[in-house]
Amino acid sequence: MSDEPQYMDFDPDGDDIVDRVVVDHASPSTDRSVARRVALQALYEIDAAGHAPGDVLLNMITDDEDVRKVRAYIRRLVTGILAHRGNLDEVLQTYAPEFPLQQIAVVDRNVLRIALYEMAIGTRTPIGVAIDEAVELAKLFGADGSARFVNGVLGTIALNIEPLRAQLRGEGMPDEDDDFDDDYIDEAEPETEPPSPLD
């Protein structure tokens, strides 16, 4: 018998496959939903692999039209979260004390950072929208219990949002969206947003 490895032909469409499930995810409901998905993937790579944020953003913001038209909001989320990560993490640790933040799944940790950033620093996203979007991200990218965990933490944070805004932004500071003109506006958030420059 030969010592060389024996290779089998594998046909992915053949009878060898007993059961296969293709998970069909719903399309993002708004342009900001697209931005949040891409931002989460970028933050995951930065967090898990330690890659340089500029390189990650350059690779993530592709020529795909859906991504290209929301690139400013993707950059806004990623750079804003990285700039405030220490303070965001301190708040998250306070509201999820039984879970050391570095032991929380990378996806869950970054979903929470995105939502908290939008709720407390980029304050034009309504609280309910930020929580709903975070839960959807957790369902899409997280583990079985991720959505429940994210919803619980953010629900508690929402009850204390005003003092947290003051803590994270500093007293008297405008929210970061005030200086941000190149932003594509979510259709789900029109009552709190100015008209989009891209319309």
Side-chain angles (χ1 to χ4, degrees), residues 24-107:
D24 187 24
H25 297 295
S27 296
S29 57
T30 67
D31 290 319
R32 279 198 176 185
S33 295
V34 173
R36 290 177 187 106
R37 287 186 184 189
V38 176
L40 176 60
Q41 292 171 65
L43 290 165
Y44 182 96
E45 183 176 338
I46 293 163
D47 200 353
H51 293 162
D55 293 340
V56 173
L57 283 171
L58 194 62
N59 291 330
M60 287 284 177
I61 301 176
T62 65
D63 289 333
D64 179 274
E65 183 181 352
D66 286 342
V67 175
R68 200 171 59 243
K69 69 183 178 181
V70 294
R71 65 184 178 268
Y73 198 65
I74 295 166
R75 280 194 197 98
R76 176 60 164 202
L77 287 174
V78 173
T79 59
I81 288 162
L82 293 176
H84 296 278
R85 184 166 52 187
N87 292 332
L88 293 170
D89 288 356
E90 187 178 317
V91 169
L92 292 173
Q93 191 60 76
T94 300
Y95 286 89
E98 64 277 16
F99 304 101
L101 203 61
Q102 291 309 311
Q103 292 178 19
I104 293 174
V106 178
V107 167

Side-chain angles (χ1 to χ4, degrees), residues 105-178:
V106 178
V107 167
D108 298 356
R109 185 164 65 228
N110 284 292
V111 167
L112 290 168
R113 286 170 176 160
I114 290 170
L116 180 56
Y117 176 81
E118 287 193 304
M119 291 165 67
I121 298 173
T123 58
R124 293 198 180 169
T125 301
I127 302 298
V129 171
I131 294 174
D132 288 347
E133 289 283 316
V135 168
E136 286 307 308
L137 286 173
K139 286 179 184 175
L140 183 59
F141 294 103
D144 285 345
S146 292
R148 190 179 319 107
F149 171 69
V150 163
N151 190 51
V153 173
L154 294 177
T156 305
I157 286 173
L159 297 174
N160 301 283
I161 196 62
E162 290 308 323
L164 287 175
R165 282 179 176 158
Q167 174 186 337
L168 287 168
R169 289 172 32 223
E171 291 292 345
M173 288 178 61
D175 74 60
E176 292 195 355
D177 274 348
D178 286 348

